[in-house]
Amino acid sequence: MTETKTVMTNAAWRAEGARRFGTDDIMQWKFRCVSCGTESSPADFEKVNADPRRAPHECIGRHLKPVMHIDGNSKPCNWTAGGMFRLSSVVEIEGIEGKPTLAFPFADYIGGEPA
């Protein structure tokens, strides 16, 4: 099985976020966890006293206690884009000074409305 990965420049990623969410305010953008499908924004992270800069990279479940689910299929989870197991739907963003960053894909919104 061949793994596919989306690679974007930082400028292209920011432009796509602004297009999808109708604003360039990243605090309003939503990201979809590749493991459980939970959608959350940096503003959601702030509401649970978590660093909003982590929203593109971590499921909000990492910041809610407890995160252990008996059935193993509950939401939200504790997945991270840069963890040991990398799923192909993770986006690689070309970072500053050539250091790439892994992020969850955007939630399905177009022009600020759910798609």
Side-chain angles (χ1 to χ4, degrees), residues 14-69:
R14 289 183 176 278
E16 178 63 12
R19 183 188 75 79
R20 283 178 178 256
F21 300 101
T23 179
D24 60 0
D25 179 7
I26 195 171
M27 292 294 287
Q28 305 310 311
W29 298 0
K30 288 192 175 271
F31 303 91
R32 187 181 71 254
C33 174
V34 297
S35 179
C36 72
T38 296
E39 295 180 355
S40 57
S41 69
D44 296 331
F45 271 61
E46 215 168 50
K47 288 176 189 171
V48 298
N49 297 316
D51 184 345
R53 295 173 296 181
R54 294 181 179 263
H57 317 286
E58 297 178 355
C59 187
I60 198 166
R62 290 179 77 83
H63 305 281
L64 303 174
K65 303 295 183 226
V67 295
M68 184 182 350
H69 301 288

Side-chain angles (χ1 to χ4, degrees), residues 82-106:
M84 190 160 109
F85 301 104
R86 296 194 179 151
L87 301 179
S88 61
S89 53
V90 170
V91 178
E92 183 176 309
I93 304 161
E94 293 177 356
I96 299 170
E97 299 175 10
K99 297 177 183 174
T101 299
L102 297 176
F104 289 153
F106 292 118

Side-chain angles (χ1 to χ4, degrees), residues 5 9 22 34 43 63 67 103 108-109 113:
K5 175 174 47 177
T9 64
V34 297
H63 305 281
V67 295
D108 292 327
Y109 282 68
E113 298 294 323

